[in-house]
Amino acid sequence: MNQNPTTLQLHQTVYASLFAALIAAGAFLAIPIGPVPIVLQNMFVLLAGLLLGPRWGIAGVGIYLLAGTIGLPVFAGGTGGIGRLLGPTGGYLIAYLPAVWAVGLVSRRTGGRLIGDIAAMVLGTLIVYGLGVPYLKAVTGMPWAKAAAVGMLPFLIGDALKIAAAVPIARTLRPVMAGRTAALQAREYSRG
Amino acid sequence: MPQPTPLGFRPGRSIPHRLDPRFKLILLAMVGIATLQADFRGLAALTVLILAALRHTGIPLASMAREMRYFVLLLVLVFIARALSTPGEALLSAAGVSVTREGVLAGGRVCWRPACVAAAAILFVVATRPSELRGAVIWLLAPVPGIPERRAGTMISLLVRFIPMVLDQARETSDAQRARCIECRKNPVARMAVLTIALLRRIFEDADRLVAAMEARCYSEDRTGPAFGATRLDWLVLLGAVLFCAGLFLVP
């Protein structure tokens, strides 16, 4: 393993850690819409895929899950521990890994176009529910209809709003990050 | 002016501060596992211990409760759902809906367990320096194949450092936008986008400054970490925790 990361690697490492922190802090950040606050946590998972790409997106989410697994208070509501991964909502947390990878991959493959970003986030959301709801059913023994009613349907409107918000966020911040990356690559090239 | 958040390290000389970080990591894992089995008496004993330790470290419990308000709201909703949906002996009935004794007990149990884990985890974060956390994580992950433990340790210590920074920046950004009447905008998508773009721009700038500082200090993943040494206090606390957790399993 490279013991002295390049500036670009160091930037990506810090950004991946930053997104892990955003995902953790996202459970405490909410936009109050009427009586129900919309929590931003899973929007940051989608944004990690869009802005960091599949590899560093996975690194960020992986660090978030690792920190939570060893007991740090990063899961929703400041909890942590292996019990959360084995509990009813563990499937959603584990699903963040393939979801962020898929979002990053589809977004990169479609060149960051609007329709590609939307498709990537819809796919990521489907992966989260595709793993989370069966896991919830398996752990709690609920019937399929109840598992979907409790673990998916109430959140779909909020998810649609988060995808709608993530599109302008990614389109605003991607050029900023790309500019930084290009500047770092040029600096490393000039250093030889 | 950023307000201190309970989700970050606070310097001190309390017993939790003085414990070896490796032992603290093990204790935290033990609390997580023990609460899976514990019932009301065990949870009550654990809560008393954790609250006493939190108070001993000097954390303002009121600000901690304020920071956790959404979590508390979630627990209240889970409790109400359990109390209303679990069949059993009715304690209270109105408009065809009953609060059952079994529901209240199940809801109390389900909500109390994560609350204990959250409080123990906050205690750990408050009493452990990020550099010590990095060292403890490297020690923990070293035997695990496939994980670059040094990079993972650095990233986890950065994650712990960033959480209070993100919360502070979010609070400041939110206050600034509220002062500009953001609440007059009813479109939730616009509100989410406006808040997040401003927040991410600011914290990316902070992250860039951090990278520059790390580079200026010749950051290397191979740097020497803090030296750990177990003391009698560490072993005594670990022994007490093992006995306590064994008690929770044997007499729930």
Side-chain angles (χ1 to χ4, degrees), chain A residues 19-61:
Chain A
F19 266 95
L22 279 166
I23 296 167
F28 300 94
L29 302 178
I31 305 284
I33 308 293
V36 184
I38 295 185
V39 177
L40 302 182
Q41 186 170 43
N42 47 351
M43 188 177 79
F44 288 125
V45 175
L46 301 176
L47 282 171
L50 291 181
L51 294 175
L52 298 179
R55 185 177 163 219
W56 286 102
I58 276 213
V61 172

Side-chain angles (χ1 to χ4, degrees), chain B:
Chain B
M1 171 103 179
Q3 296 165 4
T5 157
L7 299 176
F9 172 69
R10 295 167 75 97
R13 289 292 303 156
S14 66
I15 292 175
H17 281 93
R18 280 184 279 141
L19 288 176
D20 184 321
R22 296 169 302 172
F23 283 70
K24 284 191 264 189
L25 215 49
I26 294 169
L27 293 173
L28 188 58
M30 285 170 66
V31 169
I33 294 166
T35 49
L36 293 175
Q37 176 70 20
D39 215 325
F40 288 107
R41 271 183 302 177
L43 289 171
L46 190 59
T47 305
V48 169
L49 280 176
I50 294 170
L51 286 179
L54 282 168
R55 204 174 163 75
H56 178 52
T57 50
I59 303 173
L61 295 180
S63 84
M64 186 178 126
R66 199 164 44 243
E67 204 75 63
M68 309 290 286
R69 60 192 181 279
Y70 292 118
F71 178 50
V72 173
L73 177 67
L74 177 73
L75 291 184
V76 170
L77 291 177
V78 170
F79 179 79
I80 292 170
R82 285 278 179 149
L84 294 176
S85 66
T86 309
E89 176 195 338
L91 291 176
L92 197 70
S93 289
V97 183
S98 297
V99 175
T100 64
R101 183 184 146 78
E102 287 76 4
V104 169
L105 291 176
R109 203 177 290 119
V110 163
C111 295
W112 204 343
R113 284 173 179 165
C116 275
V117 175
I122 287 172
L123 176 63
F124 174 84
V125 170
V126 164
T128 310
R129 284 180 191 282
S131 60
E132 292 175 341
L133 171 64
R134 177 182 182 270
V137 170
I138 290 172
W139 169 81
L140 184 75
L141 294 180
V144 182
I147 297 182
E149 72 274 6
R150 288 178 179 275
R151 185 166 294 179
T154 300
M155 290 178 80
I156 286 183
S157 69
L158 286 173
L159 156 69
V160 171
R161 239 183 252 264
F162 278 141
I163 290 174
M165 187 190 89
V166 169
L167 291 173
D168 279 340
Q169 292 282 19
R171 194 180 294 123
E172 279 183 23
T173 308
S174 180
D175 287 347
Q177 292 186 341
R178 210 172 295 129
R180 291 163 179 78
C181 300
I182 188 73
E183 279 156 351
C184 296
R185 292 184 78 162
K186 295 296 173 203
N187 181 348
V189 173
R191 284 178 62 179
M192 268 192 277
V194 166
L195 173 71
T196 311
I197 289 170
L199 173 66
L200 289 181
R201 272 184 190 276
R202 292 178 75 176
I203 59 175
F204 280 149
E205 282 168 14
D206 286 340
D208 286 344
R209 277 195 286 272
L210 177 68
V211 172
M214 288 167 83
E215 276 198 308
R217 287 160 180 76
C218 303
Y219 170 77
S220 158
E221 286 178 354
D222 206 18
R223 72 194 167 117
T224 308
F228 297 132
T231 61
R232 191 192 295 179
L233 176 69
D234 294 311
W235 288 109
L236 277 174
V237 172
L238 183 65
L239 180 66
V242 168
L243 292 174
F244 182 79
C245 291
L248 288 184
F249 272 94
L250 296 175
V251 192

